[in-house]
Structure formats: structure tokens, C-alpha cells
Amino acid sequence: MDVRYPAHITEDPSGGFCIQFVDLDEAFTEGDSMDEALFNAAEVLTLTLEGRLAEGLDVPMPSRDVADASCYIAPDAKTQGALLLRAARGERSVADLARALETSWPQAKRLEDARHWPSLKTLDRAARVLGKRLVLSIE
């Protein structure tokens, strides 16, 4: 699974760049330079996804192969981890995950909290009990 969200980049005639995410209407930003706009976009994406997770709102997985997407942007690593575990858990309840990990419900629930920073060991163990494997990448 890949947690990069498609975005449209438009150049503002008065200077700078605007970025709007395809899957998240409320997530948009701008910057004076392309680098600044992309940096701001990653921050806005992270905050939007963190907010949705914290409020228990629907978090759409990123659309793939969007023909007119200018780029794909990833949120921070903590948010990616929370989203990936939530997706891997699927229809299983948090209680089922807690039992499989032999831990408490609150500890298992924290794995899907984008503000929590679980260890790689914990993430790997959670992935394995969900029939997945943890794969890391640095870009």
C-alpha cells in the first residue's frame, strides 16, 4: 500500500503556486516557490488526515492513476503508519487486534493514532498479526 495523495498544482498569475488535493476537498495550500508549496502541502495533508483520524471521520485511501494529477504527496511517517494499520485491519475490530497482539484495547487503538509514535518492532508485530509485513522506504 502506498499513502501518497494526488494533488493538482496551479501557478498563480500573481506569483506562487497553489496545491489542492484530489481526495480531500478541505486540504489545500500555497507557496511562493514550488518547494515551499510542496513542503506546505505535506504539512496540510498530515494535519488534515490527523484531524480526520482523531475525530473518527472517514479517511479515504488515495486515488490511483489520476490522469491530471500534478504530483502525489505523502503525509508524515506517523500518519502513514496509522493509515496503513487501519487499512490492514480492515473489518477486524480493534479488540480483535488487541487480543492478537496480547495487549489492551487502548494500546492497540493508539497504533491508529497519528499523534502516537509506535516503535518499528510494534508496527512489525501488528503487521504480522494482520497477515501483512512491514516494508520501509526512504525517498
Side-chain angles (χ1 to χ4, degrees):
M1 288 188 246
D2 187 9
V3 188
R4 284 185 264 192
Y5 284 79
H8 297 291
I9 301 174
T10 55
E11 191 167 355
D12 189 333
S14 62
F17 298 86
C18 299
I19 298 181
Q20 171 71 48
F21 287 92
V22 173
D23 299 313
L24 303 159
D25 291 336
E26 73 274 27
F28 56 90
T29 190
E30 62 185 10
D32 291 334
S33 68
M34 180 63 80
D35 286 341
E36 181 182 358
L38 290 170
F39 177 85
N40 291 345
E43 284 192 339
V44 164
L45 177 61
T46 296
L47 292 171
T48 300
L49 295 172
E50 277 181 359
R52 282 184 173 220
L53 287 167
E55 294 175 24
L57 300 174
D58 180 47
V59 179
M61 288 306 284
S63 297
R64 293 285 153 242
D65 302 323
V66 177
D68 61 344
S70 304
C71 64
Y72 286 79
I73 299 173
D76 71 7
K78 291 186 291 186
T79 304
Q80 288 182 54
L83 289 173
L84 290 170
L85 279 176
R86 179 187 257 201
R89 182 170 57 83
E91 297 297 317
R92 292 177 71 174
S93 69
V94 174
D96 288 341
L97 177 60
R99 278 190 289 278
L101 290 171
E102 298 176 350
T103 191
S104 67
W105 183 90
Q107 289 290 66
K109 183 68 177 158
R110 286 180 66 188
L111 294 173
E112 294 179 12
D113 181 349
R115 295 167 294 186
H116 175 66
W117 193 242
S119 69
L120 286 177
K121 180 179 177 181
T122 302
L123 286 173
D124 183 53
R125 189 166 170 241
R128 281 187 282 120
V129 302
L130 293 169
K132 306 290 183 183
R133 65 187 187 101
L134 179 65
V135 178
L136 299 175
S137 174
I138 296 177
E139 297 177 343

